[in-house]
Amino acid sequence: MSFRLFIYYCTLCGGWAAFFGWMLGRTISRTISPSSVIGRDGVRGMMLGILLALGLSLVDFLWNMSLRHFGQFLMRIGVALLVGGIGGLLGGLIGSLLNDLSGVFFVFGWALTGLLIGASIGAYEFLASAISGKNQLGARKKVIKTVIGGTIGGVLGGILAMELGIAWDRIKPRGGDWLWSPTAMGFVALGMCIGLLVGLAQVILKEAWIKVEAGFRAGREMILAKEKTSIGRAEGVDIALFGDAGVEKLHANIVLEGGCYVLVDRTTPGGTFVNDAKVNGQVALSSGDRIRMGRSVLRFYERQKRTN
């Protein structure tokens, strides 16, 4: 999908996930701890975190990969649910315990939730690279971006939820359930803000990316977040070009070397071409370069580097 669609789906899924999280949390909290306000708020926050992390992780996974990588999908989702659930639980508990002191603490609770939900998006990649001994630079950068976006989204969403609560209080007094009124509206606002900012942070802070101009899922744009990005039609490659017989299972790699991106051809029969010139071994890439292999065409882009 394109960057615009990615941001749109992050925002949309964030809102819907938060709404269903509110519904599920409300149902469970009434069953488990109907007399404990703090317990109810913690359960509701945890359900918010779990479903929000699930929705955003699903969008992120489908943006970068496909459901053919089902094993990775399950592991990514499992890690995201754990981290997101902890974030929602902490946010709900902090907000419930401290909301009488100041609205700042209410917002702080949801900022912490947004931070951990953002971290949940890239947590699996960071853990996988650490366990396998691979370079963690790309995974670390992704986590930093999603944490920044999630935290800012949590702050903005918390402020908006609080303002909605104050406005609703003037219309209809709510008694003691201050944190969770006006019911679903505050949750949806929070979820949409976190989803929007998580998506925006990844797109705005991107350094290099690829756009598929022809071939499998033409029009999709993908950020180059690794030091080595594989291209081909095998199941496990980073940029999959399924259905193109002219593309080998592992056709080429885009490698970050000394701050520059290099395209490396894997000595393929059909070859790899940059701006219609055949690649012999490897070639340095410049922003706007056209990469062709088989019938598939990719366009490489890189953010302009500042010069001293």
Side-chain angles (χ1 to χ4, degrees):
M1 66 182 78
S2 66
F3 291 140
R4 288 184 179 180
L5 279 178
F6 173 68
I7 295 171
Y8 169 76
Y9 283 126
C10 281
T11 307
L12 185 66
C13 285
W16 277 108
F19 176 72
F20 287 115
W22 168 78
M23 290 182 62
L24 185 59
R26 185 182 183 189
T27 302
I28 295 175
S29 64
R30 286 180 174 179
T31 304
I32 295 177
S33 53
S35 60
S36 172
V37 175
I38 296 177
R40 288 201 307 266
D41 293 347
V43 170
R44 292 171 179 177
M46 183 170 64
M47 291 300 104
L48 168 73
I50 287 175
L51 289 197
L52 199 49
L54 173 63
L56 295 180
S57 295
L58 181 60
V59 174
D60 185 78
F61 179 84
L62 293 177
W63 182 36
N64 292 290
M65 308 181 80
S66 73
L67 288 176
R68 300 187 186 198
H69 304 83
F70 192 67
Q72 286 194 38
F73 169 74
L74 291 179
M75 290 186 286
R76 286 169 184 265
I77 293 300
V79 173
L81 293 183
L82 176 62
V83 178
I86 293 172
L89 175 63
L90 292 176
L93 292 176
I94 291 173
S96 179
L97 288 168
L98 303 178
N99 73 77
D100 288 332
L101 298 178
S102 170
V104 173
F105 293 107
F106 175 86
V107 174
F108 173 76
W110 293 128
L112 179 60
T113 297
L115 184 154
L116 288 176
I117 288 174
S120 72
I121 309 302
Y124 168 78
E125 292 173 344
F126 182 79
L127 290 173
S129 60
I131 293 172
S132 63
K134 296 180 180 178
N135 191 295
Q136 303 170 26
L137 180 61
R140 189 183 299 117
K141 286 182 178 181
K142 180 173 182 177
V143 171
I144 291 173
K145 293 173 189 176
T146 54
V147 163
I148 291 173
T151 304
I152 297 174
V155 171
L156 296 179
I159 293 172
L160 184 55
M162 185 172 63
E163 292 300 321
L164 286 171
I166 294 172
W168 184 263
D169 217 10
R170 294 171 181 171
I171 300 172
K172 182 179 179 181
R174 296 157 290 169
D177 198 21
W178 185 86
L179 180 62
W180 302 107
S181 297
T183 61
M185 286 188 287
F187 264 45
V188 171
L190 180 66
M192 291 184 72
C193 285
I194 292 176
L196 171 65
L197 268 298
V198 165
L200 271 177
Q202 293 191 71
V203 172
I204 291 175
L205 299 176
K206 66 184 183 298
E207 297 176 3
W209 63 101
I210 285 288
K211 181 175 182 179
V212 180
E213 295 189 343
F216 179 71
R217 288 168 59 184
R220 59 184 164 136
E221 297 172 291
M222 290 168 290
I223 295 173
L224 298 176
K226 299 180 179 180
E227 287 204 337
K228 179 185 289 187
T229 302
S230 55
I231 308 171
R233 56 182 177 85
E235 295 288 341
V237 298
D238 299 310
I239 301 177
L241 299 172
F242 301 125
D244 190 337
V247 175
E248 301 300 313
K249 290 185 177 181
L250 180 55
H251 197 102
N253 292 318
I254 296 178
V255 182
L256 180 60
E257 293 182 351
C260 298
Y261 286 90
V262 176
L263 179 68
V264 182
D265 178 69
R266 302 280 299 183
T267 61
T268 54
T272 304
F273 299 82
V274 174
N275 300 327
D276 294 326
K278 188 173 183 179
V279 176
N280 294 313
Q282 65 181 46
V283 64
L285 292 172
S286 300
S287 187
D289 279 350
R290 181 177 182 268
I291 304 169
R292 178 171 59 85
M293 51 191 73
R295 300 187 307 275
S296 302
V297 177
L298 314 176
R299 185 77 65 174
F300 170 80
Y301 294 100
E302 185 177 13
R303 187 178 299 281
Q304 185 175 4
K305 296 181 174 67
R306 293 182 179 180
T307 56
N308 296 326

